[in-house]
């Protein structure tokens, strides 16, 4: 539990307080500075005392910068990258609904996603330069006579994915949002439809409302109830129906119908408050549900597989509720920060240990990190990435038997990671001083729902940062590592996924996914075994499967928004051939290869050659004269363990390589295409985009890193799976002139060691000496 808990403004409703005042005419022009009030940058001057905050906010002011630019500035409440507020979502939905041609059309509208239309990068630069703290005019290119700065930013826009339940059509709407207030006046909305397009031959993601309706329809279907009776189940309240998207295996799965193929489980009657229903899979029953009309299209009781007996080890709640006893020897471990955290937050803008970035959130991706930059002394703010997020994940199962062969969920594209995120009020894995952010999204009927405490941000002690002891003098220096962690957790059916971005004091960024939850099981006949899984209890086995995640990284190494000065170099370690250059047979070296085009940049991991990739700026050098860069260092990884004709690879061709590199295109966001649900098209998305074979030698670079884990279940993964970690690192490579960790001060904890209850004192040489 957090020792200090801070509840922030909702993530989609945060306001960057921006005020301005006139600079004094008595100050020489070369010394004039913008007089903005900033909660996050004390170096900026406050407004004159004669101006009230209301007067400052309510009028336009002329501001003269030290570079001689005259700007008409006006207070802005929402940064162009801030997620949509609850009010904006409501206005967008009302605008689209009002645009429906008939009452029937309006009543048939179902709202899958309402999301921000992210502006062009130049608009973001303009906002960060002159409208929002910490005000960075250097983000805009210098022009003769100075840039022309508008008095306000372009209006924000919303993008809506709408499903028509009557016509089975999917449409995309763009709505321009004017000034939106928490309560729209007189019931009038203030949005403007910019465009609406019907997208043929697709099915949008499923919604939780549909899943609940599907479960009710199946449980009320007489043949299904009869099949349950054959298996000894008469209490339908014990039955769990988990609708799974149909995928695409044949023409019968074509998107002309909205389909689900559920899996079935049955709880055991008990007093346990969280009875583990996944411990008793019901197999042998095939059901196909029309999700548009909510009717059962196909039903077949194919095989009578006995319902597994109740496993006494099935439950995972604490103590006696699961029939066990909890450990009694775990002592309290408290994380306290008496002076508060080292980070500073203004709206969605975060500053910590020379890092700064913005936090965003989408219904599909969940957490998005924007405008990542590092403050590097005299070199100032140095961009690293424009946008970081996890854009897709796929979970293919390796059992060819029914129903497991069709389990290959696209949890982002078919369900939405953000829409399935947790409120961390119900349990948070973070300790210390926590900054929470809420998230807003629309439900199926267009109402706004809020996930409170959705995104968690906190500092973590991370062991040793660096250490050295001089053996001659006995003197030593040691520094502890601290990292800033931003994360969210979602549940998709039986599995939980935690998505983390860690920022380190030495300039590293770590992407991490934590996998936990409950295994998806199958039932066995008496005496039966399966080589495609692990038997974990009598009549129960867990099929082998893989989890793949795709991180999309819109890089900007030393690039201002809109610059295209990055390239990607692949590095492989080579062993020198025996000969005059290697007479001792010990030589090896790093060989670099520039990835010149998109087709050349489809690459796989190779741990035997320590393969990694460096994103370099073609016009920025370090003190040795080499190009500055950030390198992607893979963690453990894998590729799909499936034949080339596997059905799920039709929709997930992006899994065939660990790394893809593309030139930035604003509409290229989803590696399997925007609508992977029941998608009949082969290789849509990333595998198609790279066929353009755009040049990459000097470009606005986007990295797509595909990483995964192969899960061979263990008995120790039951009844709940301990967390498994996978991920990768982005590390500075020639970006800094020396280690940025060298200026991290000693921690007070370095001088205190209470092992065995005994205090410690520093020795004469500065080391810890135990009494």
């Amino acid at each position: 539990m957090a020792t200090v808990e801070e509840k922030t403004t909702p993530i989609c409703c945060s306001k960057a307080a921006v005020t301005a005042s006139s600079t004094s005419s008595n100050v020489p022009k070369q010394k004039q500075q913008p007089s903005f009030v900033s909660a996050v940058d004390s170096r900026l001057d406050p407004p004159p005392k004669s101006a009230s905050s209301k007067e400052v906010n309510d009028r336009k002011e002329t501001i003269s910068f030290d570079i001689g630019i005259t700007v008409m500035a006006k207070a802005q409440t929402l940064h162009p990258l801030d997620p949509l507020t609850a009010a904006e979502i409501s206005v967008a939905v009302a605008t689209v609904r009002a645009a429906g041609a008939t009452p029937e059309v309006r009543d048939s509208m179902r709202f899958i996603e309402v999301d921000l239309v992210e502006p062009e990068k130049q608009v973001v630069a303009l906002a960060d330069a002159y409208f929002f703290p910490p005000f960075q005019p250097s983000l805009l290119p210098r022009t003769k006579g100075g840039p022309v700065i508008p008095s306000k930013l372009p209006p924000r826009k919303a993008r809506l994915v709408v499903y028509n339940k009557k016509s089975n059509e999917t449409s995309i709407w763009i709505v321009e949002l004017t000034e939106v207030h928490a309560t729209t006046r007189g019931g009038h909305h203030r949005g403007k439809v910019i465009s609406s397009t019907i997208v043929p031959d697709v099915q949008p993601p499923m919604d939780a409302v549909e899943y609940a309706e599907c479960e009710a329809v199946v449980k009320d279907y007489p043949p299904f109830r009869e099949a349950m009776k054959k298996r000894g189940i008469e209490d339908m309240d014990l039955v769990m129906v988990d609708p799974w998207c149909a995928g695409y295996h044949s023409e019968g799965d074509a998107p002309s119908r909205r389909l689900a193929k559920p899996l079935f489980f049955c709880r055991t009657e008990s007093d346990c408050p969280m009875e583990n229903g996944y411990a008793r899979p019901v197999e042998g029953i095939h059901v196909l549900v029309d999700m548009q009309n909510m009717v059962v299209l196909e039903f077949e009781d194919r095989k009578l597989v006995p319902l597994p007996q109740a496993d006494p080890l099935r439950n995972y709640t604490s103590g006696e509720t699961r029939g066990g006893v909890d450990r009694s020897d775990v002592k309290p471990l408290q994380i306290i920060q008496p002076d508060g955290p080292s980070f500073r937050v203004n709206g969605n803008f975060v500053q910590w240990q020379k890092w700064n970035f913005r936090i965003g959130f989408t219904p599909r991706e969940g957490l998005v990190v924007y405008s990542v930059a590092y403050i590097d002394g005299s070199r100032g703010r140095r961009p690293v990435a424009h946008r970081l997020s996890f854009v897709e994940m796929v979970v293919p199962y390796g059992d060819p038997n029914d129903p497991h062969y069709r389990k290959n969920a696209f949890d982002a594209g078919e369900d939405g990671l953000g829409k399935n995120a947790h409120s961390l009020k119900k349990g948070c894995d973070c300790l210390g001083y926590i900054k929470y952010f809420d998230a807003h999204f629309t439900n199926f009927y267009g109402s706004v729902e809020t996930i409170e405490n959705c995104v968690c941000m906190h500092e973590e002690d991370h062991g040793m940062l660096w250490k050295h002891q001089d053996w001659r003098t006995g003197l030593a220096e040691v520094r502890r590592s601290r990292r800033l962690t931003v994360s969210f957790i979602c549940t998709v059916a039986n599995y939980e996924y935690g998505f983390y971005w860690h920022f380190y004091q030495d300039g590293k960024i770590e992407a991490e996914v934590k996998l936990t939850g409950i295994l998806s099981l199958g039932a066995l006949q008496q005496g039966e075994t399966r080589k495609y899984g692990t038997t974990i209890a009598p009549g129960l086995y867990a099929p082998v499967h893989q989890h793949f995640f795709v991180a999309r990284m819109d890089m900007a190494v030393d690039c201002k928004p809109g610059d295209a000065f990055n390239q990607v170099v692949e590095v492989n370690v080579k062993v020198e051939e025996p000969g005059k250059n290697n007479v001792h047979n010990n030589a090896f070296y790093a060989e670099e290869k520039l990835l010149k085009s998109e087709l050349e940049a489809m690459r796989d991991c190779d741990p035997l050659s320590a393969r990694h990739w460096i994103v370099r700026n073609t016009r920025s050098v370090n003190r040795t004269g080499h190009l500055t860069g950030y390198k992607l260092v893979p963690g453990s990884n894998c590729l799909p363990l499936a034949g080339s004709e596997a059905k799920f690879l039709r929709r997930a061709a992006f899994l065939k390589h660990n790394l893809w590199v593309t030139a930035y295109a604003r509409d290229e966001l989803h590696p399997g295409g925007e609508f992977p649900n029941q998608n009949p098209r082969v290789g849509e998305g990333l595998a198609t985009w790279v066929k353009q074979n755009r040049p990459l030698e000097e470009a606005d670079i986007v990295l797509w890193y595909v990483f995964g884990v192969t899960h061979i279940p263990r008995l120790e993964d039951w009844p709940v799976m301990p967390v498994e970690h996978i991920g990768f690192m982005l590390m500075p490579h020639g970006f800094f002139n020396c280690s940025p960790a060298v200026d991290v001060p000693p921690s007070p904890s370095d001088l205190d060691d209470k092992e065995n209850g005994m205090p410690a004192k520093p020795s004469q040489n500065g080391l810890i000496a135990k009494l």
Side-chain angles (χ1 to χ4, degrees):
M1 181 178 291
T3 56
V4 181
E5 177 176 306
E6 178 175 351
K7 181 68 173 58
T8 72
T9 322
I11 188 171
C12 298
C13 292
S14 60
K15 295 183 178 181
V18 184
T19 60
S21 67
S22 302
T23 55
S24 172
S25 58
N26 296 325
V27 179
K29 185 173 183 180
Q30 64 269 24
K31 293 185 179 181
Q32 289 179 355
Q33 293 182 348
S35 300
F36 290 94
V37 175
S38 169
V40 296
D41 197 338
S42 59
R43 296 170 297 179
L44 300 176
D45 297 330
K49 294 181 179 180
S50 59
S52 70
S53 60
K54 184 177 187 304
E55 290 170 339
V56 168
N57 280 325
D58 286 350
R59 70 173 187 260
K60 296 179 181 178
E61 297 291 351
T62 302
I63 298 158
S64 299
F65 289 87
D66 57 0
I67 57 175
I69 301 170
T70 298
V71 184
M72 294 297 293
K74 181 183 179 181
Q76 300 283 323
T77 56
L78 291 170
H79 188 277
L81 292 177
D82 282 349
L84 295 177
T85 66
E88 286 178 316
I89 293 173
S90 294
V91 166
V93 169
T95 301
V96 169
R97 186 173 273 139
T102 64
E104 186 179 61
V105 169
R106 294 192 286 271
D107 291 344
S108 298
M109 287 181 173
R110 299 294 182 267
F111 295 87
I112 306 298
E113 292 176 6
V114 181
D115 198 9
L116 175 73
V117 176
E118 294 178 11
E120 297 285 357
K121 295 180 180 180
Q122 288 81 357
V123 173
V124 177
L126 176 64
D128 289 338
Y130 299 114
F131 289 85
F132 290 88
F135 307 111
Q136 305 156 62
S138 63
L139 288 174
L140 293 180
R142 292 181 180 271
T143 57
K144 188 175 182 180
V148 177
I149 310 300
S151 61
K152 62 181 180 179
L153 296 170
R156 284 157 58 89
K157 296 177 183 177
R159 185 178 188 271
L160 298 88
V161 178
V162 180
Y163 174 68
N164 188 302
K165 193 168 176 64
K166 184 172 181 62
S167 66
N168 194 35
E169 290 178 332
T170 300
S171 57
I172 296 175
W173 298 68
I174 304 297
V175 174
E176 183 179 285
L177 303 165
T178 55
E179 194 70 22
V180 175
H181 304 279
T183 304
T184 53
R185 298 170 183 171
H188 298 294
H189 55 82
R190 299 184 61 189
K192 175 184 177 183
V193 174
I194 302 300
S195 67
S196 67
T197 307
I198 293 177
V199 185
D201 204 28
V202 301
Q203 283 295 337
M206 292 291 186
D207 188 87
V209 170
E210 293 179 286
Y211 287 154
E213 291 177 356
C214 177
E215 180 173 55
V217 165
V218 172
K219 289 165 71 169
D220 284 342
Y221 189 62
F224 179 78
R225 298 172 74 93
E226 187 62 32
M228 292 297 103
K229 285 184 180 180
K230 289 182 182 178
R231 291 159 174 81
I233 305 168
E234 297 199 15
D235 184 356
M236 296 305 293
D237 289 338
L238 299 176
V239 176
M240 296 164 44
V241 179
D242 275 16
W244 281 54
C245 293
Y248 188 86
H249 298 272
S250 66
E251 291 184 4
D253 298 325
S256 56
R257 302 181 298 176
R258 187 164 175 81
L259 304 174
K261 296 180 179 179
L263 300 177
F264 312 107
F265 305 88
C266 184
R267 296 183 180 90
T268 301
E269 289 189 73
S270 76
D271 295 328
C272 181
M274 293 180 67
E275 174 69 25
N276 183 2
Y278 290 110
R280 301 182 79 195
V282 179
E283 292 205 0
I285 299 175
H286 164 78
V287 177
L288 180 68
V289 179
D290 177 347
M291 300 291 279
Q292 176 191 359
N293 301 300
M294 281 300 162
V295 296
V296 174
L297 295 176
E298 297 177 8
F299 177 87
E300 185 179 357
D301 192 351
R302 294 175 172 173
K303 184 179 181 181
L304 183 59
V305 180
L307 189 67
Q309 295 296 314
D311 180 9
L313 303 179
R314 68 188 180 277
N315 289 325
Y316 49 85
T317 50
S318 60
E320 295 179 357
T321 62
R322 71 167 197 280
V325 178
D326 288 346
R327 304 182 191 194
S328 59
D329 57 350
V330 181
K331 304 298 184 183
L333 175 63
Q334 296 181 340
I335 308 297
I336 59 173
Q337 294 177 270
D339 297 328
S342 300
F343 56 75
R344 293 178 290 175
V345 180
N346 184 17
N348 290 335
F349 182 71
V350 177
Q351 290 178 304
W352 177 83
Q353 291 292 291
K354 303 184 180 182
W355 286 108
N356 59 65
F357 53 85
R358 290 190 173 275
I359 290 177
F361 198 87
T362 75
R364 183 165 181 155
E365 302 156 282
L367 174 64
V368 180
V369 182
Y370 297 104
S371 303
V372 179
Y374 193 94
I375 307 300
D376 184 18
S378 61
R379 297 191 68 166
R381 181 185 184 275
R382 301 180 65 189
V384 175
H386 176 70
R387 191 183 195 275
L388 304 173
S389 69
F390 298 96
V391 290
E392 189 56 274
M393 59 172 291
V394 184
V395 188
Y397 279 68
D399 186 342
N401 295 285
D402 188 40
H404 307 288
Y405 75 91
R406 57 181 173 82
K407 290 159 67 174
N408 44 76
F410 287 60
D411 287 335
E414 292 179 341
D415 290 287
L417 301 178
K419 290 181 73 171
N420 285 282
H422 292 182
S423 168
L424 296 176
K425 281 187 169 182
K426 300 178 181 178
C428 183
D429 67 333
C430 306
L431 296 173
Y433 189 106
I434 303 172
K435 186 80 168 179
Y436 288 114
F437 299 88
D438 293 352
H440 301 304
F441 61 95
T442 180
N443 65 19
F444 203 41
Y445 297 103
S447 298
V448 178
E449 295 189 357
T450 298
I451 304 175
E452 295 184 327
N453 292 16
C454 182
V455 172
C456 167
M457 184 173 73
H458 70 293
E459 294 176 285
E460 294 180 344
D461 179 89
H462 196 61
M464 185 166 59
L465 177 62
W466 60 265
K467 181 176 182 177
H468 180 66
Q469 179 174 329
D470 188 318
W471 65 271
R472 290 181 174 85
T473 65
L475 297 177
E477 291 285 345
V478 62
R479 301 292 186 270
R480 292 200 67 79
S481 175
R482 189 181 298 191
R483 69 184 185 184
L484 182 68
T485 294
V486 189
S487 63
F488 81 104
I489 301 173
C490 69
T491 298
V492 186
N494 53 295
Y495 259 106
E496 267 73 23
Y497 301 97
F499 296 91
Y500 298 78
W501 292 99
H502 305 290
F503 295 85
Y504 291 83
Q505 293 165 303
D506 61 353
K508 294 197 300 285
I509 303 171
E510 182 182 9
E512 182 185 25
V513 178
K514 297 180 182 180
L515 301 81
T516 182
I518 301 174
L519 295 169
S520 180
L521 303 182
L524 296 172
Q525 301 272 18
Q526 187 173 1
E528 182 186 8
T529 60
R530 292 267 178 94
K531 70 177 182 178
Y532 307 108
T534 302
T535 301
I536 62 168
L540 282 176
Y541 84 107
V544 295
H545 56 282
Q546 296 181 289
H547 299 261
F548 290 99
F549 305 87
V550 185
R552 180 183 181 274
M553 294 166 281
D554 184 354
M555 301 300 291
V557 176
D558 271 336
C559 285
K560 299 174 182 178
D563 284 353
F565 303 142
N566 281 176
Q567 61 180 205
V568 179
V569 173
E570 179 175 285
V571 181
N572 290 283
V573 174
K574 300 283 187 178
V575 175
E576 186 68 81
E577 293 292 333
K580 64 179 181 179
N581 293 327
N582 189 17
V583 294
H584 303 293
N585 290 308
N586 69 314
F588 63 92
Y589 59 96
E591 182 179 77
E592 296 185 355
K593 178 184 178 182
L594 176 64
L595 303 180
K596 297 181 179 180
S597 67
E598 291 177 327
L599 290 178
E600 190 178 334
M602 299 184 298
R603 308 300 296 159
D604 295 325
C605 295
D606 182 5
L608 297 180
S609 68
R611 179 174 294 169
H612 58 274
W613 299 274
I614 306 173
V615 179
R616 285 185 172 146
N617 186 292
T618 59
R619 306 189 184 191
S620 174
V621 296
N622 52 38
R623 67 173 178 169
T624 65
H626 293 94
L627 300 178
T628 59
Y630 254 77
K631 68 179 181 180
L632 191 164
V633 181
S636 61
N637 209 335
C638 61
L639 288 170
L641 297 172
S644 60
E645 300 301 315
K647 297 296 186 182
F648 75 89
L649 289 177
R650 291 172 55 97
R651 301 187 295 148
F654 55 87
L655 296 183
K656 294 180 180 180
H657 295 287
N658 296 128
L659 179 75
W660 306 70
V661 185
T662 60
Y664 171 78
R666 192 178 179 192
D667 59 345
E668 294 180 1
L669 290 172
H670 310 296
E674 182 169 8
F675 301 105
N677 187 15
Q678 296 178 239
N679 186 2
R681 294 165 291 280
V682 179
E684 190 167 71
L686 196 51
T688 297
W689 300 332
V690 299
K691 291 179 181 178
Q692 302 170 75
N693 205 24
R694 291 165 290 196
L696 299 175
E697 293 182 75
E698 189 174 61
D700 188 349
I701 293 293
V702 179
L703 300 180
W704 308 75
Y705 184 63
V706 181
F707 59 106
V709 60
T710 300
H711 194 184
I712 311 299
R714 313 167 299 159
L715 267 68
E716 292 83 359
D717 291 328
W718 182 253
V720 65
M721 191 180 82
V723 165
E724 189 162 359
H725 306 252
I726 58 172
F728 62 92
M729 280 280 190
L730 290 172
M731 302 176 65
H733 188 92
F735 189 79
F736 301 106
N737 286 329
C738 69
S739 170
V742 73
D743 64 358
V744 174
S747 169
S749 63
D750 294 339
L751 305 178
D752 189 18
D753 182 359
K754 296 181 180 179
E755 184 179 351
N756 299 321
M758 299 293 292
K761 64 180 181 181
S763 67
Q764 291 182 352
N765 62 9
L767 298 177
I768 299 299
K770 296 180 181 177
L771 295 176

